[in-house]
Amino acid sequence: MSSRRVVYVVSNELVKYASLLPSNRNRSLIVHSLVKAFGLLGDLQDDGQGACVRVIRPYPAGARDLTAYHSRDYVEFLLNPETTSSLLANSSGHAEYGLEEDCPPFKGLPEYARLVAGASLAAATALRDGHADIAICWDGGRHHAHKSQASGFCYIADCILAILAMKRASIPSQPYPRKPRIMYLDLDLHFSDGVSQAFWSSASVRAGGAVPQVLTLSIHHAAPGFFPASPLASLPNVEDASFDPFTLSIPLAKGASGTTFARIWPAVERAKDAFGPDFVVVQCGVDGLAGDPNGVWNWSLGDSDGSLGWCISRVCGHWKCKTLLLGGGGYNSPNAARAWTYLTSIALGHPLSLDANIPDHAAYPLYEHSFTLDVPQGNAQDQNSDEYLSEVEINDHTEPWSQ
Ligand SMILES: [Zn+2]
């Protein structure tokens, strides 16, 4: 493709506060340090084949930005430094807003929420306003946050806020500009309950209406007791009352590897082709990679068919949509850094070699054992049967979208 304009969202302040996230302490610092150590944000010149990258510093989102989706009460509570400090002082949580258990209040939470939302909004706005072809925000991708509740390590629904900002784009068309179509693709190990529910509407409500602006497709692990429980996490069934052809799910069993992803990828492409998005938002959670403490999937970063890198190469190289790459889960921080560094290089059109040695930098010792970029597949067996994957292949609901 011709040269891509890529924006990468980072600032010292964002890294400082994103590194405080209790579920992912210091991950932000480790990730951005590795991207920088590989020189990906340096003076990469536009050579006509690759990309030029521009770093943008996010502004902290204000209450008005956040109430584009979140409830006013939740935002006021979340952004008030006194409420979080008083919870901290009393070592208590706040059940109504979900600020307990896996989403505890923490020092710096108001700044964290404002900066992470601001980061994803800055990325989305750069795409919407035509300043970039690909925007990268590894601190975003908090797909479990709800309108009035934190959930699953997610306090702020930056993915939803970004999609809502993109919805306001105007797409040149004859005789009048039209509204954009946005596809949200979620590759995290966990179901994107916050985002999928936000844009879900039952087929009966949709019947006869215009094609909606947003399609969500989540590929995730689902099993009894596995977070998050949601009827929308199952393989869609037209017979279900909850069926919505624009809220799609592909649950995968344990051990999912590149082989399984290569097999289901044509179904993802079919959904994309039928919907015809102008923008695609990819939540690149990396908790499905081999070596993650979740230990559920056995996905590789590498460039073999079906690897995470292969999927992102397809999106960035062939989909011809404006693309927003967000982070998400990923609890082996050095592997998250490896993955997002590699994906950054793919977005830039200059993929790094997976054999590349980790450059010497402050976090170098964290990469012990291999000291290379690759996150190879492990030994776990892929439990996605041929029979099940055939069911995914025939579970094609693109027909009703034909326009
Ligand atoms: Zn996850």
Side-chain angles (χ1 to χ4, degrees):
M1 72 185 274
S2 58
S3 65
R4 304 168 187 167
R5 296 164 303 155
V6 180
V7 298
Y8 184 95
V9 184
V10 70
S11 70
N12 289 340
E13 213 184 11
L14 175 66
V15 171
K16 176 183 162 188
Y17 285 102
S19 293
L20 298 176
L21 182 64
S23 56
N24 301 83
R25 282 253 172 201
N26 289 326
R27 187 183 68 173
S28 179
L29 178 62
I30 293 166
V31 168
H32 294 292
S33 299
L34 190 64
V35 171
K36 202 171 163 197
F38 267 105
L40 298 181
L41 306 180
D43 301 321
L44 198 63
Q45 295 301 311
D46 180 2
D47 57 7
Q49 297 172 341
C52 45
V53 63
R54 188 163 57 91
V55 172
I56 51 177
R57 293 157 52 90
Y59 66 94
R64 232 184 117 154
D65 299 311
L66 303 181
T67 53
Y69 179 64
H70 290 287
S71 70
R72 188 164 298 278
D73 288 355
Y74 178 64
V75 169
E76 279 174 8
F77 192 90
L78 194 68
L79 296 192
N80 185 345
E82 285 172 22
T83 52
T84 38
S85 10
S86 106
L87 290 177
L88 283 170
N90 300 318
S91 305
S92 60
H94 194 288
E96 185 187 347
Y97 295 129
L99 296 173
E100 56 177 8
E101 297 173 2
D102 58 4
C103 293
F106 63 92
K107 195 170 184 310
L109 174 57
E111 294 87 348
Y112 166 84
R114 289 162 59 104
L115 280 161
V116 168
S120 292
L121 281 171
T125 307
L127 295 170
R128 182 192 70 193
D129 296 346
H131 302 313
D133 303 307
I134 299 177
I136 300 171
C137 179
W138 296 134
D139 294 297
R142 313 313 306 177
H143 62 167
H144 298 307
H146 298 289
K147 202 184 249 308
S148 300
Q149 208 169 43
S151 176
F153 312 144
C154 301
Y155 299 80
I156 203 79
D158 67 289
C159 314
I160 298 171
L161 294 170
I163 292 170
L164 294 176
M166 289 171 162
K167 278 181 78 176
R168 297 203 301 270
S170 177
I171 304 297
S173 174
Q174 291 300 331
Y176 304 110
R178 62 170 175 80
K179 291 177 177 176
R181 285 185 292 271
I182 302 144
M183 177 171 176
Y184 173 82
L185 174 62
D186 193 300
L187 303 175
D188 194 280
L189 176 68
H190 301 91
F191 173 57
S192 59
D193 58 338
V195 186
S196 299
Q197 286 165 15
F199 295 103
W200 170 84
S201 189
S202 72
S204 55
V205 170
R206 296 238 194 257
V211 171
Q213 277 183 266
V214 181
L215 165 75
T216 64
L217 168 51
S218 176
I219 304 171
H220 51 262
H221 179 64
F226 191 76
F227 181 86
S230 167
L232 299 179
S234 320
L235 203 58
N237 178 352
V238 285
E239 307 293 323
D240 286 349
S242 65
F243 174 69
D244 170 9
F246 299 93
T247 306
L248 302 179
S249 276
I250 304 181
L252 296 177
K254 286 185 178 176
S257 64
T259 311
T260 283
F261 274 85
R263 178 93 180 260
I264 63 167
W265 194 255
V268 176
E269 299 256 350
R270 271 201 306 279
K272 184 267 295 179
D273 290 340
F275 185 63
D278 304 291
F279 297 97
V280 58
V281 179
V282 192
Q283 199 269 19
C284 305
V286 290
D287 39 9
L289 288 180
D292 187 88
N294 275 284
V296 177
W297 282 352
N298 188 19
W299 205 10
S300 62
L301 174 60
D303 55 1
S304 60
D305 287 6
S307 66
L308 172 60
W310 180 88
C311 294
I312 298 303
S313 296
R314 303 268 113 20
V315 175
C316 289
H318 304 296
W319 280 24
K320 298 186 170 53
C321 304
K322 300 258 184 184
T323 303
L324 172 56
L325 300 179
L326 299 175
Y331 305 94
N332 177 329
S333 294
N335 278 1
R338 286 176 163 107
W340 290 335
T341 298
Y342 183 55
L343 300 189
T344 301
S345 74
I346 289 172
L348 290 168
H350 292 283
L352 289 162
S353 161
L354 290 159
D355 297 330
N357 291 317
I358 299 296
D360 193 15
H361 68 300
Y364 182 78
L366 297 177
Y367 298 88
E368 63 178 356
H369 303 311
S370 82
F371 292 105
T372 63
L373 190 61
D374 201 9
V375 182
Q377 187 178 315
N379 296 322
Q381 197 200 342
D382 190 335
Q383 296 180 24
N384 292 277
S385 65
D386 181 59
E387 189 185 11
Y388 174 67
L389 294 172
S390 302
E391 197 185 328
V392 173
E393 284 172 330
I394 59 164
N395 196 294
D396 187 339
H397 299 300
T398 55
E399 195 63 31
W401 317 345
S402 304
Q403 296 165 61

